[in-house]
Amino acid sequence: MGLFQLCLCGIICQLMIGNCIFQAITGGVIVSRCMRSTNMMEQSLSQIESMVPVMLAVEISQIIDDLREATFILDSSDEEAGKVLRELLQEDVSATDSLEFSEIKALQLAASRLCITSPKAILIEKRSIKKLLDKVGDSGQSKIKVLKYLFYLLKKYGNSVLGEQKDNACAQEEGSYTVCSQSFEVDSRVGDRKFGAQTNNLSRSVIPEVFKCPLSLRLMYDPVVIESGQTFERMWIQKWFEEGNHTCPKTKMKLVRQSLTPNTAMKDLISKWCMKYGITISDPSLEKAALPSLDSSSTSISSLCSSMNDLHFPLDISNMSLGSLDTSYGSDTSSNKIADGSNRMPLWTNVHDIDLSRLTELNWDCQCKVIEDYETRLERDNQVSHSLSSTNFVEPLIIFLRDARDLHDSRAQRIGCRLLLAFVSKNRSGIPYLNEDLFSLLASFLHSAAATEETLAILVALSSYAYFISKIVASGALASILNMLDSHNGKFQELAIKILHNLSSDVGIQSHIAPSEFLPKLVPFLKDATLAVSCLVILKNMCNAEHARVCVVETSGCLPSVAELLEIGSEEDQEHAVAILLCLCSQRDQYCKLVMNEGVIPSLVNISVNGNDKAKVSALELLRLLRDVAYSVEQQCFGSEIDTSKDASSDPRKEKPSSKTSRIFGWKFPKLSKKSVLS
């Protein structure tokens, strides 16, 4: 679908009314509005055309051509239904029986033409009328009068009309209006738009390519030749040169002169061709003629309804109640009080217009109910979150959470936090709206047992954003998160580790965590298969600092747990475990000796062959480091043994010391303690 078709569809969508019966009555008005809108669009595009580059002007000109050829017609079925209904509205019948007969016949014919042939269709019409009445202001009294009368007809005669239509099938196609465009297209393979030509004759011929301007792709009226030897329409090539272009639009050849020479031979050929097919071409530079103005006074709905002032209805329509709209498809007597304002749902519970800015106007119980309802809707509908902002959602929710805390309402804290969790999980674009007040509030919730799990889950989501890490730390929540590792609640511990996993990616966070106190709490979780990878990432990030590396080596059970994961962990576990050991060993030879004491060589060899890509590279590098250190230690040991043997040979009474050694890479390596290595 092209731009022209999209424009027309947009016009129609804005002007169409959702009620079939009322559409039929006002069809002429809508058609005239469509015509007026296309004329206004044509005028606007014509003004823009002279302000834009030539290539864009060509495209705009083609759209203008389509707009000029577009016509709007009312479907014959709708036109017939509308005519009958308008005659009924303008009929002045004093006898009630005659009026009743006219009403039944008019409604029966209109319903048949508009495919209103089922109880459900009648119900939809009634509800559509009700919606239209809700939108009409005090200034639309004539329109209100018509709508109420239509509703009266449907309510009184709906079942009777359906009874007479049971044997008649509706063969009408859906849709009230058809946009018909007289196409300028000569051949579907060519796809040309001809400017100002006689369409009927042109459609029977194919324009030769040489007759078309390379810029506008239209039949040329005043062909001229430029220096490159190419022929163009005078108006378009002049515009091309006036924009400062010095090349041929078709060949891209640079032009020394911008002279335009009339191509009389081409013009004669085009003229003969047009005479043969009875086609006339107008000057494109003179095509911007004034558009016809439409007098809307004769087609307005007010004019239509002005003749109704003296209409004698069988009841007082101005006071008719519309509260009894049907809720079932088979009955006209059942009622649903949706028109009663007391039974309507509040504005802030509308799923399409979520707005918490008026939340404080409700009592506390109602506020909790609305918050709970919103949480359910956000979970079910991903589109709802896109309408939420700081003003209509975040700030009012912060006020609600603060009130819930001050009132010590545990349930309100939980449902408020669940709504916030749904928001931060669904609405990535709205995340930046969160301010420091919210983080301070979340930190306070960690001190109470009311909404601890929900708060931790929120912080897991927020900590994944780098720009929130400083706010989380500044709120004082970090201490409470670390304390969660000491709790006996497995869920709290899991969420806390996930938060620390995210926070550890920030280098600045390490100054707020004391490794000597934190690592002993973390080590036991390395045994948990579900948390091991997060713990390893935390360790890897902490190893960027020297004091943290020392604590990793000194903390009881830390190195053995990491080494164990080289053998039994997943590929991801192995990747991070190797990275930790490589970070340690690349800093100090002493760390290499401690790592080798854990018997990691077989596991590293296996990973270098079977691990993932990152783990293979790290494992090979770590093996190289350990080999170099082992070789250096072997050399030192070999020199020490030579000196000892010399002393023993000079003094036979001295015995050789029995050093405890292990063989690594084929060399003997003495067992070393952490204390001796770190000293």
Side-chain angles (χ1 to χ4, degrees), residues 461-478:
L462 296 180
S463 61
S464 62
Y465 297 91
Y467 47 83
F468 281 148
I469 291 179
S470 60
K471 292 183 178 181
I472 294 175
V473 175
S475 69
L478 184 58

Side-chain angles (χ1 to χ4, degrees), residues 603-620:
S603 298
L604 290 175
V605 172
N606 177 62
I607 293 172
S608 68
V609 176
N610 302 313
N612 61 35
D613 292 340
K614 289 185 178 180
K616 287 179 181 179
V617 173
S618 298
L620 289 172

Side-chain angles (χ1 to χ4, degrees), residues 28 33 52 57 102 118 121 144 163 184 224 238 254 263 274 367 398 434 460 492 560-561 626 653-654 673:
R33 288 179 181 176
V52 299
S102 299
S118 67
I144 291 175
F184 283 106
V224 294
Q238 279 182 338
K254 188 171 183 180
N263 192 337
C274 290
Q367 289 187 41
I398 292 176
L434 307 182
V460 170
F492 292 178
S561 297
L626 296 179
R653 293 173 296 177
K654 293 184 178 180
S673 65

Side-chain angles (χ1 to χ4, degrees), residues 43-73:
Q43 290 177 334
S44 300
L45 290 175
S46 296
Q47 295 175 357
I48 296 173
E49 183 182 354
S50 60
M51 306 176 187
V52 299
V54 62
M55 301 308 295
L56 181 56
V58 168
E59 297 294 330
I60 293 176
S61 178
Q62 292 171 354
I63 296 174
I64 293 174
D65 290 349
D66 287 340
L67 287 173
R68 285 173 177 163
E69 291 302 318
T71 58
F72 299 86
I73 62 173

Side-chain angles (χ1 to χ4, degrees), residues 42 63 118 158 218 246 260 264 323 350 397 509 590 612 632 658:
E42 180 184 340
I63 296 174
S118 67
R218 298 185 184 123
H246 300 284
L260 305 178
T264 55
N350 187 344
L397 182 56
I509 197 70
Q590 292 92 330
N612 61 35
S632 176
S658 58

